[in-house]
Amino acid sequence: MAKNAFQRLVNKASVADEGYEDEYYDDYEDVGYFDENEEPEVTPIRSVAAGGDIARIITVWPKSIDGGQEFADPYRKGIPVILNMTAAPDGERRRILDFAMGVCYGLRGKVNKISNDVFLMTPHQVTVEASHPEESSDF
């Protein structure tokens, strides 16, 4: 009995069945071939407009890693985010920063350290120009 079931399966799956080639050959009869003298249809490439100036920057004070969505969602939309982690406990700061760095890496951005507890997350289209304290003039 098992042999009969197996034989029926082999017969159905067999490529040597009559009509196999004709069944699929009919689908290809209307296929056109490329004419070397005919000019192919080409879609022109258009350049993408450069991003404008940054209109806003968001500041977030996360207290735990659970607040990661609070800064990740705006960042995913291309908005720079300042992470002020002064309100977060010491144990959570590293986890928040690791998550922020992962978000930035995934979206090809950068995390810039402003101070020990403040970081700036910049999208890939934003460049940060910083002057070093020794270059700034005293008032």
Side-chain angles (χ1 to χ4, degrees):
M1 182 166 148
K3 184 177 179 183
N4 289 338
F6 180 72
Q7 189 60 40
R8 284 194 312 257
L9 179 66
V10 169
N11 289 340
K12 287 192 181 242
S14 176
V15 179
D17 288 339
E18 292 284 330
Y20 174 77
E21 292 180 22
D22 293 336
E23 178 183 335
Y24 293 100
Y25 183 73
D26 293 338
D27 293 341
Y28 294 105
E29 287 181 6
D30 295 330
V31 173
Y33 293 98
F34 179 71
D35 182 7
E36 293 178 6
N37 297 326
E38 184 179 323
E39 193 69 32
E41 185 177 325
V42 177
T43 303
I45 297 175
R46 290 179 278 295
S47 63
V48 177
D53 292 334
I54 306 254
R56 67 181 177 159
I57 298 174
I58 294 176
T59 302
V60 179
W61 289 268
K63 293 182 177 132
S64 71
I65 191 66
D66 296 332
Q69 187 175 1
E70 187 179 356
F71 61 83
D73 286 345
Y75 182 79
R76 287 176 49 199
K77 294 176 184 172
I79 301 170
V81 176
I82 296 174
L83 284 178
N84 188 334
M85 294 193 286
T86 55
D90 290 338
E92 289 291 310
R93 288 181 188 175
R94 185 73 212 168
R95 292 181 69 203
I96 294 168
L97 184 59
D98 285 345
F99 178 70
M101 293 176 87
V103 170
C104 287
Y105 177 79
L107 297 172
R108 299 182 185 159
K110 288 187 178 183
V111 175
N112 301 291
K113 183 176 182 179
I114 306 300
S115 72
N116 287 337
D117 297 325
V118 180
F119 297 88
L120 173 62
M121 299 170 60
T122 55
H124 72 279
Q125 70 270 15
V126 176
T127 57
V128 175
E129 294 180 16
S131 63
H132 298 284
E134 60 268 10
E135 293 176 3
S136 64
S137 61
D138 293 326
F139 289 104

